[in-house]
Amino acid sequence: MMAVALVAAKPAPEVKPKVSVVAPAAIAADPANRWILELSTGGRVVVQLRPDVAPNSVRRIQELTSQGFYNGLKFHRVIPGFMAQSGDPQGTGQGGSTLPDLKAEFNDFPHVRGVVAMARSEAVDSANSQFYIMFSPNFGLDHRYTAIGRVIEGMAAADAIAPGEPPEVPTTIVRASLGGPLAGAPAVAAPASAPAPAQATPAG
């Protein structure tokens, strides 16, 4: 009976709270943590990146943006009430950048409306350049995909992204930029717009 009593007296395990969707002051103060997507619809989406929860994935987004990688890319998979996905130069959901795939950085940032996360294949460590924007909460994605930030301006513009898998007339990212220079990785001047990639086909 003594053993049972000792077990019963053990304190309950501490429940780790989810990360706040409000960025810490130091993160919000760095302009390089503001990701700006100017869309072909005329809309503008601003994402507060969160290197405190996914440092390597955020750095990848920042570096590719500084190189002009996202300019001209389509939102190739857009499901109303769920999410909008982009970041594939092939426009099919099968491509990525020439950089190595990323190690997963699953975290406690909840998949609420406006959250931005890295898309991947079934392989856990396969995220590269693709990302998605959540239209509505889906906590079933928590700890399965790497959340990297949340839309803080222009969610209405995100809602207006053309739907479809792929959309008949896809919304494109005319220009992606950071709110300020990225430390340690000088920005490369990119044209205001880039040619759209080849016509997307449905992803498998």
Side-chain angles (χ1 to χ4, degrees):
M1 294 295 292
M2 180 63 70
V4 172
L6 289 173
V7 170
K10 286 180 64 177
E14 183 180 349
V15 177
K16 187 176 181 181
K18 287 191 177 291
V19 174
S20 172
V21 295
V22 178
I27 298 296
D30 185 348
N33 292 330
R34 288 170 64 90
W35 191 30
I36 303 160
L37 305 176
E38 298 170 30
L39 307 181
S40 58
T41 57
R44 182 173 181 265
V45 177
V46 180
V47 178
Q48 175 66 71
L49 296 173
R50 294 291 299 272
D52 56 316
V53 298
N56 295 325
S57 299
V58 166
R59 185 73 178 189
R60 171 63 58 82
I61 291 288
Q62 291 170 323
E63 290 177 340
L64 290 177
T65 298
S66 296
Q67 297 166 10
F69 175 85
Y70 291 105
N71 298 347
L73 299 194
K74 301 173 182 178
F75 279 89
H76 62 271
R77 182 171 182 248
V78 183
I79 304 174
F82 181 30
M83 60 90 222
Q85 185 173 335
S86 184
D88 174 15
Q90 295 181 17
T92 64
Q94 304 298 313
S97 76
T98 58
L99 298 174
D101 289 345
L102 293 160
K103 190 81 174 171
E105 295 178 289
F106 301 154
N107 52 61
D108 290 327
F109 201 92
H111 273 71
V112 295
R113 172 172 162 79
V115 157
V116 179
M118 300 299 288
R120 62 174 178 85
S121 68
E122 291 184 7
V124 170
D125 299 327
S126 60
N128 186 290
S129 63
Q130 293 190 48
F131 66 93
Y132 57 89
I133 302 172
M134 297 298 296
F135 291 139
S136 60
N138 189 325
F139 302 120
L141 301 179
D142 291 359
H143 304 112
R144 296 174 55 205
Y145 294 85
T146 299
I148 60 170
R150 189 183 185 194
V151 174
I152 56 172
E153 295 176 28
M155 193 61 206
D159 289 334
I161 293 170
E165 301 182 68
E168 185 175 345
V169 181
T171 299
T172 61
I173 301 169
V174 175
R175 183 173 183 268
S177 62
L178 301 176
L182 178 59
V188 176
S193 62
Q199 180 65 38
T201 55

